Amino acid sequence: MRTMAWSSKGDLKIAFVGTGAQGASIGADFIEAGFDVTFIEQWPEHVEAMNAHGVTVNLKTRSIHANVCARHLCQVAEIRERFDLIFVVVKAYDTSWTCQLIEPVLAEDGLVVGIQNGMTQHAIAAVVGAERTVGAVFDMASNMFVPGVTNRQNDHDTSWFALGALDPINRDRVEMIAELLRVSGRVEVSDDISSAKWMKLIVNAAQLVPSAILGLPFAEAVRVPGMEAVMRTAGYEAMRAAQADGASIVPILGMAPTTTNDPERYVDEIFDEVLKTFMMPDTLTTVLQDWRKGRRGEVLDINGHVVKTLEKAGQSAPVNQRVVELARSIERGALVAQPSNGTLFAA
């Protein structure tokens, strides 16, 4: 088995699969840093726009423009090179088939890094093997509504990632990947990436879908009467699910190690940190963005995962169950995402 070529940026072959708002933002940072990067994307107009005009990333105080080599999913079978690193930045529910698609172009000793919501590291490993899987968790707000243009609300200093090897033999290589990823934000290496991903899923369960059900940016939704209590309770249930699954309480988002043994207090700490640092007043959660584009959100991979995990442990998650019911009604067209939906959580 050959050794991954780390000695030169030009020798490292990197692909980003899923180059929407988040993937394009991170990928553009890699291109600007001089890496050999290929974008693989399923939105045809976006692929055409990037190949014709490059990708533009609009940040609060600056813009990045990067020339891109973009390939459509249907062109993956035409790719002859093998990639040392493939960053998967697709929706959690698209993970398995995406990994099946790209496995033939992953180098024998290459690594797949899943920069996603949800517990997707297991789905990646089921396809490419645990020895080629790196789990990741992140917090960065972006949106994309125009092909070739992404709007990133968190610049380098307020974008955060954590990486962790599923196979301990890869820890040194994960350290190297972390160094590469620092072109896009703050990066930590975790020896317990499963717990770190659970901690992020907790805050996602509390914030992403409940606020989307109200059709509002999170910063507004949390001020709707009664909704903050609903959101925090969803987070408390998610913490119980994490612990039932064997997760430990670990610091995320660059926070200092917790000094409390109270799980609910820790949920409050990470809830407040996301609200303070990672959510701008007009930030639309990824779920609400998906709904406005006519797509389904990661409801079952977040709140639905909490419900299923607690069911397996013989426990219930009534608030998360209600979140799933309302969100699925919106996705079926039976309910409209609007502020008055806050009253439905008491139903």
Side-chain angles (χ1 to χ4, degrees):
M1 184 177 292
R2 67 185 182 85
T3 302
M4 190 181 291
W6 295 98
S7 58
S8 169
K9 291 179 180 179
D11 292 336
L12 195 62
K13 300 294 185 182
I14 301 173
F16 280 81
V17 184
T19 56
Q22 309 285 37
S25 297
I26 303 166
D29 287 334
F30 273 63
I31 294 170
E32 287 289 287
F35 293 104
D36 182 346
V37 177
T38 298
F39 282 15
I40 299 173
E41 170 58 38
Q42 62 180 311
W43 184 11
E45 293 82 3
H46 187 32
V47 174
E48 293 170 6
M50 290 191 292
N51 282 327
H53 308 293
V55 63
T56 298
V57 182
N58 295 318
L59 297 110
K60 185 176 181 180
T61 60
R62 62 190 179 102
S63 291
I64 297 171
H65 182 80
N67 292 323
V68 173
C69 172
R71 311 293 289 270
H72 189 269
L73 290 180
C74 67
Q75 296 177 295
V76 172
E78 302 170 9
I79 297 175
R80 294 293 177 261
E81 65 184 326
R82 294 292 187 98
F83 296 103
D84 300 299
L85 283 175
I86 298 180
F87 290 92
V88 171
V89 203
V90 300
K91 296 298 178 184
Y93 52 70
D94 286 331
T95 302
S96 293
W97 69 260
T98 298
C99 289
Q100 291 169 348
L101 181 73
I102 56 91
E103 194 277 335
V105 297
L106 176 66
E108 182 181 354
D109 63 341
L111 295 173
V112 175
V113 185
I115 303 181
Q116 302 166 279
N117 292 322
M119 306 301 285
T120 57
Q121 69 274 24
H122 306 301
I124 296 171
V127 177
V128 305
E131 72 281 2
R132 296 200 289 177
T133 301
V134 176
V137 59
F138 76 113
D139 212 320
M140 184 177 80
S142 300
N143 62 71
M144 174 180 285
F145 296 98
V146 176
V149 180
T150 181
N151 305 297
R152 178 172 168 179
Q153 295 184 303
N154 294 104
D155 210 324
H156 183 281
D157 291 344
T158 57
S159 296
W160 175 86
F161 305 83
L163 305 175
L166 265 64
D167 187 334
I169 198 172
N170 285 323
R171 195 186 195 285
D172 288 346
R173 292 207 292 168
V174 172
E175 291 279 5
M176 296 176 188
I177 297 170
E179 188 58 36
L180 304 180
L181 191 56
R182 290 189 177 104
V183 301
S184 200
R186 297 174 290 148
V187 186
E188 301 172 13
V189 173
S190 172
D191 289 324
D192 187 359
I193 193 62
S194 181
S195 290
K197 287 183 73 64
W198 256 119
M199 295 303 104
K200 183 56 168 46
L201 190 147
I202 287 166
V203 76
N204 285 348
Q207 298 176 340
L208 296 189
V209 187
S211 63
I213 288 170
L214 272 60
L216 296 172
F218 170 65
E220 291 185 36
V222 76
R223 295 197 297 268
V224 171
M227 278 306 298
E228 183 173 353
V230 167
M231 292 176 176
R232 291 184 188 270
T233 302
Y236 303 153
E237 291 178 356
M239 175 60 86
R240 288 197 288 108
Q243 293 183 306
D245 197 41
S248 300
I249 296 178
V250 297
I252 61 171
L253 307 175
M255 299 168 63
T258 181
T259 58
T260 178
N261 291 321
D262 183 341
E264 292 190 0
R265 182 176 174 186
Y266 181 68
V267 172
D268 290 335
E269 289 177 359
I270 56 176
F271 185 99
D272 293 339
E273 180 66 18
V274 169
L275 181 58
K276 178 183 72 174
T277 304
F278 296 96
M279 292 288 184
M280 305 301 108
D282 60 344
T283 297
L284 303 180
T285 69
T286 180
V287 174
L288 185 53
Q289 289 183 50
D290 285 336
W291 289 351
R292 290 188 177 182
K293 294 174 183 177
R295 300 180 57 180
R296 71 180 186 275
E298 296 169 308
V299 177
L300 298 181
D301 300 281
I302 299 173
N303 301 86
H305 189 69
V306 172
V307 174
K308 285 188 175 181
T309 301
L310 283 178
E311 282 180 349
K312 289 179 182 178
Q315 302 179 47
S316 64
V319 174
N320 281 276
Q321 180 65 55
R322 187 60 175 159
V323 168
V324 171
E325 292 169 355
L326 295 175
R328 298 289 277 175
S329 292
I330 290 169
E331 292 182 341
R332 290 195 304 270
L335 183 68
V336 175
Q338 56 190 0
S340 61
N341 289 342
T343 60
L344 301 179
F345 285 95

